[in-house]
Amino acid sequence: MALRRAWDSQATCFLLLVLLFTCLLAAKVSPLVEKIDDQKELKKLTRTRNNVLILYSKSAATAERPLKLLSDVAEAVKGQGTIAWVDCGNNESRKLCKKVKVDPASKKNGVELLHYKDGAFHVEYERPETFKSMVAFMRDPEGAPLWEENPAAKDVVHIDSEKEFRKLIRKEERPILMIFYAPWCGVCKRIMPAFEQAATELKGDYVMAGMNVHPAEFDEIKQEFNVKGYPTFCYFEKGKFLFNFENYGATAQDFVGWMKNPQAPQPKAPEVTWAEQDSAVFHLTDDSFDVFLKEHSSVLVMFYAPWCGHCKKMKPDYEEAAELLNNNNNSPGVLAAVDVTTHKNLGEKYQITGFPTLKYFENAEEKWTLPHLRTKDKIIEWLHNPQAPPPPEQSWDEQETNVIHLSVEDFKEFLKKKKQALVMFYAPWCPHCKNTIPHFAAAADHFKEERKVTFAAVDCTKGTNHDLCKQEGVEGYPMVSYYNYGKFMERYSEERSEDGFISYIRRMKGQDYVKAREEL
């Protein structure tokens, strides 16, 4: 009897200790972390929430440390995602763990983190178990890992907030080179390995730091340091910004050499505009245009932009043709030019959407647009025998392909119905777009039988599509973006080829359709 009483007393003490430990653990766990004990609760949670991260633990003891972190994560992603916990050591929950084939006891640390999306298992969480990485994952479960998650970037100082940035600049005695970047920026991704290597080589003497300033909360920093594109490199000494580093193809040794002997970028001589040069072409303005056309019965006008590469390429031929025509007593016409970026009224009046655009005016009336005239010989030959241009090529949206052409009116509603969508934002006059279109269309053909996959396109020059493209962050053509059920996920920065597009979609499908461990 005495032995039995002693045994009962020990069992009671053990149960009290377990109860006490459970209470202490519960006190440390945020009420936002949902405790799940059976399959019915799990089904309900994953069916009613579309972004759930569940901690499966070997026991309550092994869950203590990760639950402290996950409690903070749950607070940070409140309203965006759900954190839950299943204690597989608990008698009630053991059946659930067995049913979904989860065995945290087989893991080194006794826990397993699984993510559920849209009612089904999505992926095992394998990124660093840090507050920042977990919050980033829960806010975008299919997004690319953070730069600091790359082991090669361990010597880069990663800045997360304006407060951290100001503190670093104010207190750091060593010279600092800061790269302001955006996660989707292709140039940033290409230069990051060199930046990382330089950070390791310069460790201790210099600071190589990085900050993702793409979110709107950093607009003031972008304005202060004139960040108009990515990446932007800013060099600081003793709390003061001195100048930019402007070698966007730099190697690690380029960074190292420059940091040891920093030099301000050489000032560029102010560019003399075409209109200011000695030119045989008549340069017209908003004020002089109509008067000039009345004085000349036959005028070919190039509407251009100073930054336009195709305009620069055509300029020598246009100048030579103008000089030959001006020296000809029986000249069939004259050549003129309008800088549409300066004289915007003319650009709007004649609906100029691409550069260069050539228009022929006869007796002060617009007669034809002539996209086929690009060389000196063709210009002169045509002016001697003016005639209607050949019929324009069929526009992309008029062609029969499996690419869906969207506009501001149907863009959001259409994409909401598609799990994987690649959208190409383009301009019809853009040569890179023209080169990409056949590859994009061929890739679309490859997935034409898959209802949840789509290849779409938006002509940014059409009507209110301009506002849509601006809203979607289009900074150049073509720009291809990946969407998941209408949500922008990332910029496509890989090869613009049929195989490139196909491989990318297959990879994204693999991420989205990881086979569930068990049907819930």
Side-chain angles (χ1 to χ4, degrees), residues 62-73:
T62 58
E64 182 179 9
R65 184 174 173 275
L67 278 174
K68 288 179 183 177
L69 172 61
L70 287 169
S71 293
D72 294 335
V73 173

Side-chain angles (χ1 to χ4, degrees), residues 112-371:
E112 192 165 357
L113 280 163
L114 303 183
H115 185 259
Y116 296 78
K117 184 176 182 294
D118 300 329
F121 168 72
H122 172 226
V123 70
E124 182 175 356
Y125 181 85
E126 295 180 328
R127 286 166 63 171
E129 292 183 16
T130 64
F131 174 77
K132 185 178 177 185
S133 291
M134 286 185 154
V135 170
F137 173 81
M138 288 302 290
R139 286 176 175 167
D140 187 3
E142 294 167 342
L146 302 173
W147 187 15
E148 54 263 48
E149 293 178 27
N150 182 350
K154 66 183 186 304
D155 295 319
V156 175
V157 177
H158 299 279
I159 303 298
D160 300 325
S161 67
E162 182 173 354
K163 184 178 179 181
E164 282 184 35
F165 169 73
R166 302 292 180 192
K167 182 178 178 181
L168 175 70
I169 300 304
R170 186 176 67 255
K171 293 193 172 184
E172 182 57 63
E173 292 293 322
R174 294 168 295 175
I176 302 168
L177 183 62
M178 173 73 70
I179 173 176
F180 293 115
Y181 68 93
W184 48 262
C185 159
V187 177
C188 305
K189 290 176 183 177
R190 287 195 294 271
I191 208 168
M192 279 175 177
F195 195 84
E196 295 162 359
Q197 187 179 336
T200 299
E201 290 189 35
L202 295 168
K203 186 179 179 181
D205 298 318
Y206 304 88
V207 175
M208 306 287 279
M211 185 176 184
N212 169 19
V213 293
H214 183 61
E217 64 189 277
F218 300 120
D219 283 350
E220 285 187 17
I221 288 179
K222 285 184 278 190
Q223 186 174 359
E224 181 178 349
F225 296 101
N226 197 31
V227 179
K228 295 183 177 178
Y230 305 114
T232 293
F233 296 94
C234 291
Y235 179 74
F236 299 86
E237 279 187 10
K238 295 181 179 178
K240 292 184 178 180
F241 165 65
L242 297 185
F243 34 74
N244 297 103
F245 174 83
E246 294 186 348
N247 181 357
Y248 301 106
T251 63
Q253 290 312 308
D254 289 332
F255 280 119
V256 170
W258 189 88
M259 287 297 287
K260 291 180 177 178
N261 183 27
Q263 302 281 330
Q266 293 299 314
K268 297 175 182 177
E271 188 177 347
V272 178
T273 65
W274 188 12
E276 295 171 330
Q277 298 171 16
D278 185 15
S279 173
V281 175
F282 295 94
H283 289 270
L284 307 180
T285 68
D286 286 331
D287 296 329
S288 66
F289 190 84
D290 291 337
V291 174
F292 184 86
L293 291 189
K294 288 177 182 177
E295 294 174 349
H296 299 81
S297 60
S298 177
V299 185
L300 186 63
V301 181
M302 180 204 288
F303 295 87
Y304 73 97
W307 46 260
C308 160
H310 296 287
C311 304
K312 292 176 182 178
K313 185 177 179 181
M314 183 179 170
K315 177 186 165 186
D317 274 73
Y318 202 69
E319 281 280 3
E320 284 186 41
E323 193 168 342
L324 288 171
L325 291 168
N326 292 350
N327 293 333
N328 184 348
N329 291 330
N330 296 314
S331 175
V334 295
L335 302 190
V338 174
D339 177 356
V340 177
T341 65
T342 301
H343 306 289
K344 296 179 181 179
N345 290 338
L346 287 171
E348 292 176 6
K349 179 179 179 180
Y350 293 106
Q351 300 180 325
I352 306 302
T353 57
F355 307 109
T357 294
L358 265 68
K359 288 184 177 288
Y360 179 66
F361 294 82
E362 190 173 81
N363 298 322
E365 295 291 332
E366 178 187 353
K367 197 162 185 182
W368 292 306
T369 299
L370 305 162

Side-chain angles (χ1 to χ4, degrees), residues 396-408 410-415 417-418 420-426 437 440-445 447-448 450-459 462 465 468 483:
W396 188 15
D397 57 355
E398 294 173 336
Q399 297 172 24
E400 200 169 318
T401 72
N402 285 300
V403 176
I404 306 300
H405 292 268
L406 303 175
S407 65
V408 68
D410 56 5
F411 182 82
K412 288 184 178 179
E413 285 304 313
F414 178 82
L415 293 185
K417 301 173 184 175
K418 302 297 178 179
Q420 282 87 25
L422 266 188
V423 181
M424 177 172 160
F425 298 90
Y426 73 101
I437 284 172
F440 196 76
D445 292 342
F447 294 100
K448 64 182 179 181
E450 300 198 30
R451 189 171 55 86
K452 288 294 183 179
V453 178
T454 192
F455 281 64
V458 176
D459 179 355
K462 272 192 173 181
N465 283 359
L468 169 63
Y483 293 81

